[in-house]
């Protein structure tokens, strides 16, 4: 199974950083997902989530990432590790490094989008969680 690490990044308003995958994405083009990608050899999933966030958006979390959920997707031959963290970054700080767009989306609008497999289910759980509530300032 391929290990994937992705991150729910929450800004000061409670908005989430979401990525619109472009038409060149090898998996699930033209749908929304979270910043993230494959865990590289010698790297932990948490390290991968921070690296991918930097590579894809040029921002960092303002505190260490914490694991929210682990999701096995046998049909995709993947295990997705979902981390979460706050950020002091704003949309003006985001530098698109991958995909068609990388936007902070208000939580109330987030689920109205087509997502990569498994993401909408975990996103719905995250938005209802005490972990998300604690990140809203």
């Amino acid at each position: 199974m391929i290990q994937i690490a992705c991150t729910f990044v929450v800004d000061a308003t409670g908005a989430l950083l979401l990525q619109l995958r472009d038409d060149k994405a090898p998996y699930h083009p033209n749908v929304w997902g979270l910043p993230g990608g494959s865990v590289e050899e010698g790297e932990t999933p948490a390290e991968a989530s921070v690296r991918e966030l930097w590579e894809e958006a040029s921002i960092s979390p303002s505190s260490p990432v914490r694991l929210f959920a682990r999701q096995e997707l046998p049909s995709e031959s993947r295990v997705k590790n979902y981390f979460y963290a706050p950020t002091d970054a704003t949309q003006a700080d985001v530098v698109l490094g991958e995909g068609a767009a990388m936007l902070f989306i208000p939580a109330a609008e987030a689920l109205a989008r087509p997502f990569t497999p498994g993401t909408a289910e975990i996103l719905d759980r995250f938005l209802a969680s005490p972990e998300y509530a604690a990140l809203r300032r």
Side-chain angles (χ1 to χ4, degrees):
M1 292 278 224
I2 297 169
Q3 291 281 327
I4 304 295
C6 50
T7 309
F8 292 112
V9 181
V10 181
D11 75 3
T13 70
L16 297 143
L17 187 66
L18 300 178
Q19 177 194 51
L20 176 59
R21 298 167 63 80
D22 63 23
D23 59 359
K24 296 170 189 62
Y27 302 98
H28 313 291
N30 303 311
V31 297
W32 290 86
L34 299 170
S38 297
V39 177
E40 296 178 355
E41 190 172 328
E43 183 178 54
T44 68
E47 291 167 340
S49 74
V50 174
R51 176 186 50 76
E52 289 284 346
L53 180 58
W54 181 257
E55 289 175 359
E56 295 178 0
S58 295
I59 65 170
S60 297
S62 58
S63 66
V65 296
R66 298 181 68 184
L67 184 63
F68 177 71
R70 188 171 182 273
Q71 179 185 50
E72 293 191 19
L73 297 168
S75 63
E76 304 277 320
S77 297
R78 289 173 162 53
V79 174
K80 291 175 83 175
N81 299 277
Y82 292 89
F83 293 88
Y84 68 96
T87 187
D88 295 325
T90 66
Q91 187 64 53
D93 298 315
V94 174
V95 177
L96 181 64
E98 187 176 308
M102 187 77 69
L103 303 171
F104 279 103
I105 305 293
E109 299 172 22
L111 285 168
R113 299 161 190 275
F115 280 99
T116 55
T119 302
E121 172 192 337
I122 302 296
L123 175 58
D124 189 44
R125 281 181 38 205
F126 180 69
L127 292 175
S129 74
E131 291 90 344
Y132 173 68
L135 294 179
R136 297 186 68 202
R137 301 178 225 162

